[in-house]
Amino acid sequence: MMELFLRSGRNERGTASIELAFSLMIFLFVAFGIVEYGSIINERNALTQLAREGASLASRNLTTSQNMMDLLGSTDNALNFKNHPSKYHIYLAQITAGNVVNNNPVCAVVEQGGFNGSGVAAPALPNCDLPQNLYDYLVYVPGTGATVQQFTVVKVYYEHDPMTPVGALAAQFGWGGLSTANSITLFSRAIF
């Protein structure tokens, strides 16, 4: 009788170990997912802030386009562009209103950064990624002129390298947006 009691105790210990292993795998998967998702959200917020600030400053014509690009590229936030120029790409497009000679708006694009990953694209001509309703405000109308004189579009791309195995798995399967073999491309655009 004692032998039967001891044998059943060993079986329960083995079952508890298997349950612990499965529970631990699920817990680690969720924990790594939370860490990776938090990292992506942090980087995405930094990109959005950078695009908005860049478009806001560039729309005021306080400096040249190249100086503005140098300012945006030297940012010292969570993205650390200064030390990793191959992980980002910034496009600054200034679209000025048409005039008496040429009724259509004119687009000038300046770019900086070495990242050319999946989905990275310059503002498309002729409207430089402006929605049609905004583009129409820049068209010169004889007798009345253009409603608005200028819009500025800033597009920022960033290569997120996964921090955890869950992030690497997401990049491999293309989850979370544009992705290459081992990274995820984050993107933000601002119009002022």
Side-chain angles (χ1 to χ4, degrees):
M1 182 65 124
M2 184 69 160
E3 189 177 316
L4 181 62
F5 178 73
L6 289 175
R7 196 177 314 154
S8 68
R10 275 188 259 149
N11 288 343
E12 287 182 21
R13 276 188 268 148
T15 303
S17 298
I18 291 172
E19 288 174 359
L20 175 67
F22 280 121
S23 299
L24 194 57
M25 281 188 344
I26 291 170
F27 172 76
L28 288 176
F29 187 79
V30 170
F32 284 155
I34 290 169
V35 168
E36 193 68 44
Y37 188 70
S39 172
I40 289 172
I41 293 297
N42 182 36
E43 290 172 354
R44 177 81 165 107
N45 285 342
L47 273 182
T48 300
Q49 180 181 357
L50 179 72
R52 286 178 181 167
E53 288 296 320
S56 175
L57 289 173
S59 69
R60 297 179 198 157
N61 290 324
L62 301 175
T63 184
T64 66
S65 295
Q66 190 55 51
N67 286 347
M68 181 57 61
M69 292 302 290
D70 293 340
L71 178 67
L72 293 175
S74 67
T75 185
D76 198 21
N77 63 12
L79 305 174
N80 197 8
F81 285 171
K82 284 190 292 190
N83 296 326
H84 303 289
S86 64
K87 291 181 63 92
Y88 76 94
H89 207 112
I90 302 172
Y91 293 100
L92 172 66
Q94 292 186 317
I95 307 100
T96 54
N99 53 35
V100 177
V101 177
N102 181 8
N103 293 347
N104 293 323
V106 177
C107 179
V109 178
V110 179
E111 65 181 285
Q112 181 173 325
F115 179 56
N116 291 314
S118 151
V120 175
L125 296 175
N127 63 356
C128 280
D129 286 357
L130 273 180
Q132 189 61 43
N133 62 333
L134 295 180
Y135 185 79
D136 291 343
Y137 288 127
L138 296 169
V139 175
Y140 181 82
V141 178
T144 59
T147 308
V148 177
Q149 292 304 308
Q150 177 181 332
F151 280 112
T152 303
V153 176
V154 174
K155 292 173 73 173
V156 184
Y157 294 91
Y158 181 73
E159 179 183 29
H160 168 76
D161 292 324
M163 298 171 45
T164 67
V166 172
L169 184 67
Q172 288 293 325
F173 288 105
W175 301 331
L178 305 169
S179 65
T180 59
N182 295 317
S183 65
I184 297 171
T185 302
L186 302 176
F187 164 74
S188 186
R189 177 179 74 170
I191 300 172
F192 275 80

